[in-house]
Amino acid sequence: QVQLVESGGGLVQAGGSLRLSCAASGSIFSINAMGWYRRAPGKQRELVAIMTSGGRTNYADSVKGRFTISRDNAKNTVYLQMNSLAPEDTAVYYCNADLFAIGTMGTRAYWGQGTQVTVSF
């Protein structure tokens, strides 16, 4: 069984910073990409940032220059450093990992439970 556990969400004023963490645990053989998505009220889930096992990154245009994704492959953990937060960043943030779990047929996407980020004016 594989679990993704997120932490680090909360309430912050506009212009502030937060750091999200997501640790994957369980019977993991290998992890490919890890990343973050978010769903704002009344909107569809969207990609925020993603990083491959080799270190390549991709960011949503709306967060470029403000958010930074990083990984600790030894700990199966991905981070999202969020700076210069704005009210429009308010959303539930979900961790995602494309991984191969032991005892399964191949790689698939796994999701965390989500962590709320609220940015006030």
Side-chain angles (χ1 to χ4, degrees), residues 7-117:
S7 60
L11 173 64
V12 64
Q13 286 188 328
S17 299
L18 283 174
R19 188 187 193 218
L20 305 182
S21 300
C22 171
S25 63
S27 302
I28 299 170
F29 180 73
S30 63
I31 302 179
N32 298 326
M34 296 187 79
W36 294 92
Y37 291 71
R38 67 186 180 187
R39 178 180 283 128
K43 295 186 177 181
Q44 290 188 332
R45 185 171 59 192
E46 62 174 354
L47 172 69
V48 177
I50 193 166
M51 178 179 271
T52 68
S53 58
R56 289 191 302 162
T57 60
N58 187 35
Y59 293 92
D61 287 343
S62 60
V63 307
K64 285 180 181 177
R66 300 188 299 124
F67 291 10
T68 302
I69 189 170
S70 60
R71 281 175 67 166
D72 184 335
N73 290 330
K75 296 181 179 180
N76 290 339
T77 299
V78 63
Y79 306 95
L80 186 68
Q81 178 66 45
M82 304 184 293
N83 298 329
S84 302
L85 282 161
E88 52 265 35
D89 295 315
T90 295
V92 178
Y93 285 69
Y94 297 91
C95 175
N96 169 270
D98 182 42
L99 65 85
F100 191 167
I102 296 171
T104 66
M105 297 298 291
T107 59
R108 72 168 184 87
Y110 290 80
W111 294 90
Q113 78 285 357
T115 185
Q116 177 70 46
V117 171

